[in-house]
Amino acid sequence: MERGNKEKILEMIKAIETKNLEMEEYISDLSILSRNDMLKEITRDIINNNSLLQELRGTEDKIISTEKTEKSSFDYIIEGYINKIQKDPHKRVIFLREFLELFQNRISEDDKKVILKSLKDEKNDDKLRERMVSLANVFKLNL
């Protein structure tokens, strides 16, 4: 082989190695969800986007009355509202009103206004989640 061809081949190999390193760095920087997180997200999406589940969520009848199921239902519903708020923060009050409507007649309209006022000013999503869970437990939200 000629010396020029060898140099070109070596340059091509170096270029390939450089691209491989760039791809490895890019892939390592990607955020890939764990299996459990992915399952939680899929379940949350199913609950939020399924019209039948949305209708059932608004009824007073309990389908499954185990406490564990209730708590996980609260978590998924509250996570759904938190995700909506994170995606569209300018619609925060609308989403919080939707959440408070789940309580139907358990909370008076005046109390809903006071609760809404306190929730809309909460900037920390974790504290907002805690307060929403607390409301669901205190007012016995039935799904």
Side-chain angles (χ1 to χ4, degrees):
M1 273 196 182
E2 294 178 24
R3 183 159 178 87
N5 286 340
K6 289 179 186 177
E7 288 178 9
K8 285 183 182 180
I9 292 172
L10 287 174
E11 287 177 18
M12 291 171 68
I13 291 172
K14 286 181 182 178
I16 291 171
E17 288 175 351
T18 304
K19 285 292 182 185
N20 282 342
L21 287 174
E22 288 175 8
M23 286 189 338
E24 284 178 19
E25 287 178 18
Y26 177 76
I27 290 172
S28 67
D29 289 341
L30 289 176
S31 63
I32 299 173
L33 297 175
S34 70
R35 181 173 184 236
N36 287 339
D37 290 340
M38 194 174 294
L39 289 173
K40 283 180 185 176
E41 188 172 314
I42 290 169
T43 306
R44 193 177 313 118
D45 286 345
I46 289 171
I47 289 173
N48 289 334
N49 296 326
N50 188 318
S51 60
L52 179 61
L53 291 176
Q54 292 292 326
E55 289 176 26
L56 291 174
R57 185 175 69 178
T59 63
E60 294 261 318
D61 300 330
K62 285 186 180 179
I63 296 172
I64 301 172
S65 63
T66 62
E67 202 169 299
K68 184 177 179 182
T69 304
E70 279 183 29
K71 289 187 187 258
S72 65
S73 304
F74 294 159
D75 292 340
Y76 288 127
I77 290 170
I78 291 170
E79 277 303 314
Y81 281 106
I82 296 291
N83 287 337
K84 286 180 182 180
I85 290 169
Q86 288 172 342
K87 288 179 185 174
D88 289 328
H90 59 281
K91 294 182 180 179
R92 180 183 196 94
V93 174
I94 295 170
F95 297 134
L96 290 172
R97 279 190 186 134
E98 267 181 38
F99 172 72
L100 291 175
E101 287 304 314
L102 295 175
F103 295 97
Q104 298 165 355
N105 298 331
R106 289 182 183 83
I107 302 176
S108 71
E109 290 302 316
D110 292 335
D111 290 340
K112 284 182 185 178
K113 288 177 186 176
V114 172
I115 293 169
L116 179 64
K117 197 177 266 188
S118 70
L119 290 178
K120 76 176 183 177
D121 295 332
E122 185 62 60
K123 301 298 179 198
N124 185 340
D125 289 336
D126 292 330
K127 288 183 181 179
L128 179 62
R129 183 179 296 108
E130 285 177 21
R131 293 177 74 185
M132 291 170 82
V133 168
S134 175
L135 282 170
N137 289 329
V138 168
F139 291 103
K140 295 182 173 90
L141 178 62
N142 288 332
L143 303 174

